Amino acid sequence: MSTVLKGNEVAKALKEKMRVEVKDLREKNIIPKVGIIRMGDRPDDIAYEKGVIKSCGTVDIDSEVFQIPAESSMEELINLVKKLNNDDNIHGILIFRPLPDHIDTEIIENLIDPNKDIDCMNPINLEKVFEGEMDGFVPCTPKAVVEILKYYNIIPLEGANIAVVNRSMVVGKPLSMMLLEERSTVTICHSRTKELPKITSQSDIVVAATGRAKMFGPEYFSEDNIVIDVGINDDGNGGICGDVDYDNVADKVKAITPVPGGVGSVTTTILLNHVLISCKRMNNIK
Ligand code: NDP
């Protein structure tokens, strides 16, 4: 029997700890708060926004949406980011991407205060990940993967052989750096990797993040694999599925995250935890 690595369980444990900390802060009249910047009305952004606001409610973190029209100028967006950077009552800033074409995303990424950059947009925070300094804000999805592995602790990350099938700046590269910090041995794989099934099946842990629905069938795995499925794909039936062919793989590996209910369930909680960390730092609370 393989173990199902449920993201909800990890999120629940993290949230329980956070609730206690938020309560303490509120008793000191300190209210953790996230400022959400949304340009326009893209349905994806609105759905994500609703999810974040709902999650904030579960841990008693305040949220405020700063919505401006999609056609707003670069200057208007810059002024809004500066306003939130300078607002002592805002501890985390979340900006939905992709930004409209006329916006220079790089300028915005560099403008966001690194200390409030809960989604790791500012290159300063990303640089820290690559330098092995984990005191900045790390990208939420890779952090969610590490949290799941640590929570279930099936094998120690130290010394584990881990195949990460993704080399993007959002997932694969930062995740690999974070795992290196844990002293894992990381193999970064991608679309040109030769003999991928051989590499994955011989690894202790496999992180699948290709964005290709059900690409990873049983031939990629062995019974000793711990499988983390980062993929979020349209399943063609109005739902979502992962990169792993779960129905045909789950019973054949040691442990596996489901989709939905796996990595995605932890990602937003990590984001909220960053708001809390920022709030404590801004108020000099350990
Ligand atoms: P990208 O498209 O940027 O990266 C995909 C990676 O997969 C690339 O490195 C690519 O290789 C590799 N790849 C594609 N096809 C194959 C193949 N046949 N064999 C081996 N490697 C392959 O996507 P992202 O990094 O942005 O996202 C990856 C997945 O993670 C998506 O499904 C996305 O929806 C999901 N995601 C989930 C999140 C969550 O919270 N759960 C958050 C963010 C993303 P190459 O570089 O050579 O092209």
Side-chain angles (χ1 to χ4, degrees):
M1 266 302 271
S2 62
T3 305
V4 180
L5 308 172
K6 291 185 187 142
N8 293 343
E9 213 174 284
V10 184
K12 196 172 150 219
L14 282 169
K15 280 181 175 176
E16 266 163 25
K17 259 177 76 184
M18 286 167 67
R19 264 186 227 109
V20 176
E21 292 192 49
V22 173
K23 189 166 170 274
D24 275 0
L25 290 173
R26 282 185 175 263
E27 279 167 8
K28 296 184 175 80
N29 250 340
I30 299 167
I31 318 290
K33 183 173 177 181
V34 57
I36 301 170
I37 296 180
R38 168 160 58 82
M39 269 189 103
D41 296 302
R42 287 178 54 230
D44 281 4
D45 291 347
I46 293 171
Y48 183 29
E49 180 180 295
K50 275 189 186 156
V52 172
I53 293 171
K54 195 173 157 204
S55 280
C56 281
T58 64
V59 285
D60 220 6
I61 286 179
D62 279 8
S63 55
E64 183 172 347
V65 177
F66 298 84
Q67 197 262 339
I68 54 173
E71 54 282 4
S72 303
S73 66
M74 186 70 193
E75 198 189 344
E76 281 169 288
L77 181 58
I78 286 176
N79 286 337
L80 181 54
V81 175
K82 281 184 178 167
K83 186 178 119 175
L84 299 199
N85 276 350
N86 294 325
D87 185 340
D88 289 342
N89 294 315
I90 297 277
H91 309 103
I93 302 173
L94 176 63
I95 306 178
F96 292 131
R97 290 167 285 177
L99 289 163
D101 288 345
H102 66 282
I103 297 293
D104 188 333
T105 303
E106 213 177 304
I107 290 179
I108 301 300
E109 285 170 348
N110 281 281
L111 181 66
I112 185 168
D113 180 346
N115 298 312
K116 296 187 179 186
D117 181 26
I118 53 169
D119 203 20
C120 195
M121 276 182 82
N122 193 315
I124 289 177
N125 277 320
L126 207 50
E127 246 174 64
K128 283 191 171 188
V129 178
F130 282 79
E131 282 166 1
E133 286 175 39
M134 297 297 157
D135 64 331
F137 289 116
V138 301
C140 296
T141 300
K143 177 77 178 165
V145 171
V146 175
E147 284 293 328
I148 292 172
L149 289 168
K150 284 187 172 175
Y151 176 85
Y152 284 98
N153 195 24
I154 295 175
I155 56 164
L157 289 179
E158 189 171 317
N161 290 317
I162 307 184
V164 175
V165 193
N166 180 300
R167 62 178 189 106
S168 79
M169 281 302 272
V170 194
V171 182
K173 284 180 184 150
L175 174 61
S176 301
M177 293 306 119
M178 289 160 77
L179 292 169
L180 270 184
E181 260 325 281
E182 300 290 338
R183 318 288 292 271
S184 309
T185 304
V186 185
T187 308
I188 306 175
C189 309
H190 46 77
S191 64
R192 307 293 191 276
T193 299
K194 289 176 186 154
E195 299 187 280
L196 183 57
K198 193 171 159 194
I199 296 172
T200 50
S201 59
Q202 287 177 1
S203 300
D204 300 309
I205 298 168
V206 179
V207 181
T210 58
R212 297 187 181 264
K214 301 184 185 178
M215 162 188 155
F216 292 84
E219 69 278 16
Y220 283 86
F221 301 109
S222 70
E223 60 188 15
D224 292 326
N225 285 149
I226 296 163
V227 182
I228 307 291
D229 191 350
V230 178
I232 299 176
N233 310 293
D234 189 338
D235 71 354
N237 291 313
I240 59 165
C241 68
D243 291 351
V244 178
D245 181 1
Y246 189 89
D247 291 343
N248 291 309
V249 168
D251 282 346
K252 301 191 170 70
V253 294
K254 191 187 272 182
I256 184 166
T257 58
V259 178
V263 177
S265 327
V266 184
T267 308
T268 310
T269 310
I270 300 292
L271 191 79
L272 300 187
N273 198 36
H274 285 171
V275 180
L276 185 55
I277 291 169
S278 166
C279 178
K280 288 197 297 189
R281 279 187 192 154
M282 281 172 67
N283 289 283
N284 295 315
I285 292 172
K286 291 257 179 227

